[in-house]
Structures are given as structure tokens and as C-alpha cells.
Amino acid sequence: VQLQASGGGLVQAGGSLRLSCTASGRTFSNYVMGWFRQAPGKEREFVAAISWSGGRTYYADSVKGRFTISRDNAKKAVYLQMNSLKPEDTAVYYCAADPYTSNPEGPYDYWGQGTQVTVSS
């Protein structure tokens, strides 16, 4: 599986962005999909994940109520709608995929290249 993330950019605090991640491969619908982020000088952290069917979603406490993960298996895409953005959301955001993980926070076998999100105060 190859993953391509997009949709990052510069936004003011309180604004919104929608990240997209498209996948190659025939078995996308079998994969758990996740979003992670890494801020400068910090370790990569879990943001959100979604089950293969889309029926279950998981969020880090820091983004609950502000971010929404969704997927469209027909388009082989997963999305992260980010609302009420804060400067502390500034990071490179990565999408990830795994066919076997039972833990939404990982590990994940496949990773996208990342997209930069910058939130100005």
C-alpha cells in the first residue's frame, strides 16, 4: 500500500482544514487507517484512527470534539476534518495503514509522506 497525504496549509487559530490521504492497492477496505502528527522537537503522536468499515473511530484526547476522521473505501481515501484549530496543532501530519493492528494507536506498517499544518495565533 502506498499512501499520499494532502490538504495541509497555513490557517489562523479557530480555522479549519481537511486532510486527505489516498491509497493505492486493491485491499484498502481491509486496512485500519490512522492519522499521526509530529511537531518540531517532539515525538510523533497518535491523532485519530478508523476501523476498516468506518464503524469505529478513535481520537486522542487533545483533538476530541474538534477533529473528525472518516473514510471512503470506494475512493480509497481517508480524511481528517480539523476544526477549531489551535497553534499547538501545528505539526506534520501523517496517514498510516495496517491490515492487522488491533490497537488503533499502532503499530502501523504503511506510512504516507506527511503534510504540514501550521496554525497561527
Side-chain angles (χ1 to χ4, degrees):
V1 174
Q2 290 186 326
L3 304 173
Q4 180 76 35
S6 62
L10 174 64
V11 64
Q12 288 188 333
S16 298
L17 281 175
R18 188 193 193 208
L19 304 184
S20 299
C21 176
T22 54
S24 62
R26 295 177 296 176
T27 58
F28 173 81
S29 59
N30 296 341
Y31 286 71
V32 174
M33 300 297 298
W35 284 98
F36 290 75
R37 67 187 182 186
Q38 187 167 20
K42 295 187 177 181
E43 294 188 352
R44 186 170 60 194
E45 65 175 359
F46 169 76
V47 175
I50 188 166
S51 64
W52 65 271
S53 67
R56 287 176 291 176
T57 56
Y58 311 86
Y59 297 95
D61 288 343
S62 59
V63 307
K64 278 181 183 176
R66 300 188 298 121
F67 291 10
T68 303
I69 189 171
S70 61
R71 68 189 295 161
D72 185 335
N73 287 341
K75 295 182 178 179
K76 296 184 180 179
V78 63
Y79 308 101
L80 186 68
Q81 178 66 43
M82 306 186 295
N83 298 330
S84 302
L85 283 162
K86 305 175 181 179
E88 52 263 43
D89 294 318
T90 295
V92 177
Y93 283 70
Y94 299 89
C95 60
D98 196 277
Y100 303 116
T101 185
S102 58
N103 181 350
E105 298 189 27
Y108 287 79
D109 276 349
Y110 304 99
W111 293 84
Q113 86 289 1
T115 185
Q116 176 71 46
V117 172
T118 303
V119 184
S120 62
S121 57

